Amino acid sequence: MKKKIMSGLLILVLLIVGITGCGSQQRSDETGSSGDEEGQKTFVFGDTTFNAENGEPDINPHNDNSGWACIRYGVGETLFRFNDEMEMEPWLAESCENVDEYTWKIVLREGISFTSGRVMDAEAVKECLEDLVKNHPRAAENLSIAEITAEDMTLTIRTSIPVPALINYLADPYGCIYDVQAGVTEEGIVQGTGPYRAVSLTTDSEMELVKNENYWNGEPKIDKITVRTISDGDTLTMALQSGEIDAAYGMPYASYPLFENDNYTFTSCETSRVFFGAMNFESPVTSDPAVRKAIAMGIDKEGFVETLLGGNGYPAAGVYPDNVSFGGDVVSAESYDPEGAKQVLEEAGWVDTDGDGIREKDGTSLVLRWLTYPSRQEQPLLAESAQATLGEIGFQVEINNTADHNRIRTDSDAWDIYVSAMVTAPTGDPEYFFKYHCLDSSSNNDGHYHSDRLEELAQEMAKTFDADKRAELAIQMQKVILDDNAYVFCSHLRMSMISKANVTGLTAHPCDYYEITVDLDIE
């Protein structure tokens, strides 16, 4: 049935595109997104995720998740960055020395200026990082900065506790360095060091960029870039087909066949972005260990990946993908076993006494309130898949697919499982996910999960500098949360961007950060 529904949707999209294609193509030929009336080279990028719903109302990296937009669209850069193997390398920094467990000395690269015109030196970076920890709670917790001193091009950071992953955290998008003295406009625009400068921004609509004529690392090739927020997958599909945009991020997998021809180019890579559900430990339903175990056993990960993702991903064994030392087969999640899940529920007293297909226990029906959101195009599909497979073992799954999820998830009485998508290793280090989601102090411990053992392991990781030991601790920490079925990890994603064939220099990256760069060009 699910395959038939997906096929029907794809046929509908094809019919719509076929009907509108001739007129839309004429518009593309007349306007020409690769150049405007003055002969400037232009580029239009459609993105489903650049919106307030995802914590990106602007490009101020000190505001929620807006650092992702700042770094993705070529406005901001960080002191350090990741290469294609997710290894650390200097970017705005030239070198780094870990003097002792509390002290880091960073030498900055010479000859870099902000788009405001101010030279980037140690004092400018100091001002930016001090403003960051003042205004961004997660950054303040991660970095634990006690003092920063600046002398010419040398920045010295002293932390209040040992922070082994400090350099990794400085590569997080919130670490984009911008000119604090130039300020942040009412629109949320900052003056960074990247190849492009934002000149206008309307939340949930679009942003206009122009080339940074004085960029330090080469000459940008595009004169003007428009980033358009297109949260609806079908609308994004038709925008690329009609030529209204030159490239797209977040295209629904069901639309991929439309672009598998010589007119378009795919750039893809495996990422640590995972679809996963957080259990609500204050819910009378998911506070029951048997229910959590049955949920983990009742979701068909393989079927979801093959049927609904079209193979653009792979079933998740745990927090991390199998291309990192602390992920993949080193941990073992529950396998899809609907009959086993039924037995688990039966033994725990969840039985269908009235024959309506829904189990009950002590007068409470086995209703699972599934909270998710639409901007990640496959999230609703995962919800519908789980609704079907969990329904077969006695759950009644009620789906709340809403852009208002960030408000609702703070209300423990409003949901039982919150399913989202997250890049679990964006800093190339395993500590990130646990600090963000799983600990008593975590800002996004939405289900109020607690484990004494996990807290102990997290404290040990926080003071461990050896990379191999950190990986070993990460494996143990994953086993703790999987044994508790505190989270169910469904699938890691293969991230793709699709562009017209005449676009070059748009390359997918494992950390999902670097999209619009100095290499971007359009013929």
Side-chain angles (χ1 to χ4, degrees), residues 234-247:
D234 290 341
T235 303
L236 184 70
T237 299
M238 289 185 282
L240 184 57
Q241 278 275 34
S242 68
E244 295 175 20
I245 61 176
D246 298 298

Side-chain angles (χ1 to χ4, degrees), residues 367-389:
V367 176
L368 184 68
R369 296 168 298 170
W370 184 292
L371 176 63
T372 191
Y373 51 90
S375 63
R376 283 282 166 191
Q377 303 297 308
E378 283 64 42
Q379 293 277 60
L381 300 179
L382 173 58
E384 292 170 6
S385 174
Q387 186 179 51
T389 58

Side-chain angles (χ1 to χ4, degrees), residues 156-170:
T156 302
I157 299 176
R158 183 166 179 80
T159 59
S160 57
I161 59 174
V163 184
L166 182 81
I167 301 305
N168 300 72
Y169 287 132
L170 290 175

Side-chain angles (χ1 to χ4, degrees), residues 16-84:
I16 293 172
V17 172
I19 292 170
T20 61
C22 295
S24 298
Q25 186 61 51
Q26 183 179 2
R27 176 184 173 185
S28 175
D29 293 342
E30 290 173 352
T31 58
S33 60
S34 62
D36 62 17
E37 295 178 356
E38 300 176 357
Q40 291 186 324
K41 189 174 290 189
T42 63
F43 179 82
V44 183
F45 188 59
D47 193 333
T48 61
T49 64
F50 181 34
N51 50 43
E53 176 190 342
N54 286 321
E56 298 177 30
D58 53 41
I59 57 168
N60 175 8
H62 300 178
N63 179 26
D64 202 0
N65 293 322
S66 292
W68 284 75
C70 188
I71 201 168
R72 278 177 163 177
Y73 307 136
V75 174
E77 299 169 320
T78 49
L79 296 175
F80 302 90
R81 61 165 290 156
F82 302 98
N83 62 22
D84 290 341

Side-chain angles (χ1 to χ4, degrees), residues 93-170:
E94 184 175 275
S95 64
C96 176
E97 177 187 0
N98 183 201
V99 179
D100 57 49
E101 62 180 4
Y102 294 96
T103 311
W104 303 76
K105 183 173 290 187
I106 300 170
V107 178
L108 303 176
R109 194 181 298 271
E110 301 269 1
I112 300 177
S113 295
F114 300 103
T115 50
S116 63
R118 180 187 179 188
V119 172
M120 187 200 75
D121 57 14
E123 181 60 33
V125 175
K126 174 179 181 289
E127 292 170 2
C128 185
L129 293 179
E130 288 176 339
D131 188 80
L132 170 65
V133 297
K134 179 180 177 181
N135 293 287
H136 199 290
R138 181 166 61 86
E141 179 188 0
N142 291 344
L143 298 169
S144 298
I145 293 175
E147 181 185 26
I148 304 176
T149 57
E151 182 178 355
D152 296 328
M153 300 301 289
T154 300
L155 189 79
T156 302
I157 299 176
R158 183 166 179 80
T159 59
S160 57
I161 59 174
V163 184
L166 182 81
I167 301 305
N168 300 72
Y169 287 132
L170 290 175

Side-chain angles (χ1 to χ4, degrees), residues 147-443:
E147 181 185 26
I148 304 176
T149 57
E151 182 178 355
D152 296 328
M153 300 301 289
T154 300
L155 189 79
T156 302
I157 299 176
R158 183 166 179 80
T159 59
S160 57
I161 59 174
V163 184
L166 182 81
I167 301 305
N168 300 72
Y169 287 132
L170 290 175
D172 187 287
Y174 62 51
C176 285
I177 303 301
Y178 73 90
D179 183 2
V180 173
Q181 289 187 9
V184 182
T185 70
E186 292 183 1
E187 300 167 294
I189 292 174
V190 298
Q191 304 297 319
T193 61
Y196 291 93
R197 174 173 60 89
V199 293
S200 69
L201 190 158
T202 302
T203 300
D204 295 340
S205 180
E206 67 178 32
M207 176 172 59
E208 297 288 346
L209 306 165
V210 297
K211 68 188 295 184
N212 178 0
E213 300 285 357
N214 299 305
Y215 184 53
W216 65 276
N217 196 24
E219 182 180 355
K221 301 166 183 63
I222 308 295
D223 297 290
K224 179 181 177 181
I225 294 175
T226 300
V227 179
R228 289 182 54 194
T229 299
I230 306 177
S231 297
D232 179 74
D234 290 341
T235 303
L236 184 70
T237 299
M238 289 185 282
L240 184 57
Q241 278 275 34
S242 68
E244 295 175 20
I245 61 176
D246 298 298
Y249 176 92
M251 185 69 69
Y253 294 125
S255 296
Y256 278 20
L258 298 171
F259 304 102
E260 293 173 349
N261 56 66
D262 293 341
N263 296 321
Y264 301 95
T265 300
F266 282 75
T267 174
S268 306
C269 68
E270 303 292 344
T271 75
S272 67
R273 186 176 294 281
V274 66
F275 284 149
F276 76 107
M279 304 292 185
N280 185 351
F281 279 74
E282 295 188 3
S283 159
V285 173
T286 45
S287 60
D288 186 333
V291 170
R292 298 197 302 273
K293 185 178 181 68
I295 293 171
M297 298 171 70
I299 295 177
D300 184 3
K301 302 176 185 180
E302 289 80 4
F304 170 64
V305 168
E306 293 303 319
T307 303
L308 300 180
L309 295 187
N312 288 284
Y314 52 95
V319 178
Y320 307 105
D322 56 13
N323 60 356
V324 297
S325 62
F326 39 84
D329 293 336
V330 299
V331 294
S332 180
E334 298 287 353
S335 299
Y336 180 51
D337 182 4
E339 293 304 315
K342 291 177 184 179
Q343 183 176 349
V344 168
L345 291 171
E346 289 281 347
E347 293 175 353
W350 290 96
V351 295
D352 180 12
T353 57
D354 56 11
D356 66 351
I358 302 170
R359 296 176 182 270
E360 307 92 26
K361 179 180 179 180
D362 298 332
T364 299
S365 295
L366 192 54
V367 176
L368 184 68
R369 296 168 298 170
W370 184 292
L371 176 63
T372 191
Y373 51 90
S375 63
R376 283 282 166 191
Q377 303 297 308
E378 283 64 42
Q379 293 277 60
L381 300 179
L382 173 58
E384 292 170 6
S385 174
Q387 186 179 51
T389 58
L390 291 174
E392 293 173 359
I393 63 177
F395 283 86
Q396 178 180 321
V397 180
E398 297 179 349
I399 301 171
N400 185 4
N401 175 36
T402 174
D404 196 28
H405 62 104
N406 279 320
R407 179 190 63 82
I408 296 173
R409 68 184 171 89
T410 63
D411 181 1
S412 297
D413 294 328
W415 56 277
D416 302 304
I417 182 171
Y418 172 52
V419 182
S420 60
M422 178 189 178
V423 176
T424 55
T427 62
D429 182 84
E431 189 175 14
Y432 182 95
F433 176 80
F434 296 101
K435 287 192 70 170
Y436 195 54
H437 274 287
C438 307
L439 305 177
D440 293 345
S441 59
S442 297
S443 60

